[in-house]
């Protein structure tokens, strides 16, 4: 299946929701994610930088979510493709991210910035696989010893000074 076969409003990988895991990640899956990231990149709004970015991810229930960067004249409120992707994740039913890919306007693999790594960690955890220029690696390598929701639980906070 290519991205041409998938309408922008569809969020299911092959038409039938299914549970997916890391073992399901084949080269065809990564190729499909790359096609979806390229499709999303065409929706980028980049009148200031002229640097479109598209991102796509596989969700644990088989959906594909995607996003593109959306610039703003007040640069601080610009949305990156990863933010747009996480919005799509929640607008289409939530879940956990399993695999992630991000491309620039030329289709080259991009590395998520620190802010975006934190955002992706929140919704995929240590096992989320990312396509990086060096290859496919888990989030635990991309963002080692990440701060996350577990650090905010009452058990993790303890009774003494704040733990970081």
């Amino acid at each position: 299946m290519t991205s041409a076969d998938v309408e922008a409003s569809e969020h299911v990988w092959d038409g039938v929701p299914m549970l997916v895991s890391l073992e399901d990640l084949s080269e065809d899956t990564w190729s499909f994610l790359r096609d979806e990231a390229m499709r999303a990149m065409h929706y980028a709004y980049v009148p200031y930088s002229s640097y479109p970015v598209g991102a796509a991810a596989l969700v644990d229930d088989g959906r594909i979510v995607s996003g593109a960067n959306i610039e703003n004249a007040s640069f601080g409120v610009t949305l990156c493709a990863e933010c747009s992707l996480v919005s799509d994740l929640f607008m289409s039913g939530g879940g956990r991210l399993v695999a992630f890919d991000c491309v620039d306007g030329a289709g080259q693999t991009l590395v998520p910035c620190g802010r975006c790594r934190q955002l992706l960690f929140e919704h995929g955890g240590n096992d989320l696989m990312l396509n990086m220029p060096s290859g496919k690696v888990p989030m635990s390598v991309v963002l080692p010893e990440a701060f996350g929701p577990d650090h905010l639980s009452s058990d993790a906070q303890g009774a003494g000074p704040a733990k970081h």
Side-chain angles (χ1 to χ4, degrees):
M1 175 180 282
T2 67
S3 59
D5 298 323
V6 178
E7 294 294 323
S9 62
E10 285 187 55
H11 288 90
V12 178
W13 186 12
D14 66 357
V16 178
M18 61 180 182
L19 293 179
V20 295
S21 66
L22 295 177
E23 294 78 33
D24 297 320
L25 300 180
S26 67
E27 284 307 312
D28 286 342
T29 304
W30 287 106
S31 177
F32 184 76
L33 280 179
R34 174 56 53 106
D35 289 347
E36 286 300 298
M38 292 292 293
R39 183 193 58 75
M41 182 264 308
H42 291 289
Y43 290 98
Y45 174 72
V46 292
Y48 309 109
S49 72
S50 299
Y51 191 78
V53 176
L58 175 63
V59 182
D60 60 357
D61 64 3
R63 286 175 296 125
I64 297 291
V65 292
S66 61
N69 54 328
I70 311 296
E71 294 181 345
N72 188 283
S74 174
F75 295 125
V77 295
T78 291
L79 296 176
C80 58
E82 293 87 344
C83 287
S84 180
L85 180 144
V86 168
S87 293
D88 189 29
L89 173 67
F90 280 91
M91 294 297 294
S92 65
R96 299 293 287 169
L97 301 175
V98 175
F100 173 84
D101 201 350
C102 189
V103 298
D104 66 13
Q108 300 298 307
T109 300
L110 289 178
V111 175
C113 71
R115 176 183 181 269
C116 291
R117 291 175 192 203
Q118 184 66 43
L119 183 68
L120 293 168
F121 173 77
E122 178 89 9
H123 303 290
N126 281 319
D127 293 333
L128 170 61
M129 292 298 293
L130 290 87
N131 188 25
M132 303 287 278
S134 61
K136 292 154 188 78
V137 295
M139 181 58 79
S140 60
V141 171
V142 176
L143 188 64
E145 300 185 46
F147 179 86
D150 292 343
H151 291 95
L152 299 176
S153 72
S154 59
D155 293 340
Q157 291 179 16
K163 296 182 180 180
H164 297 285

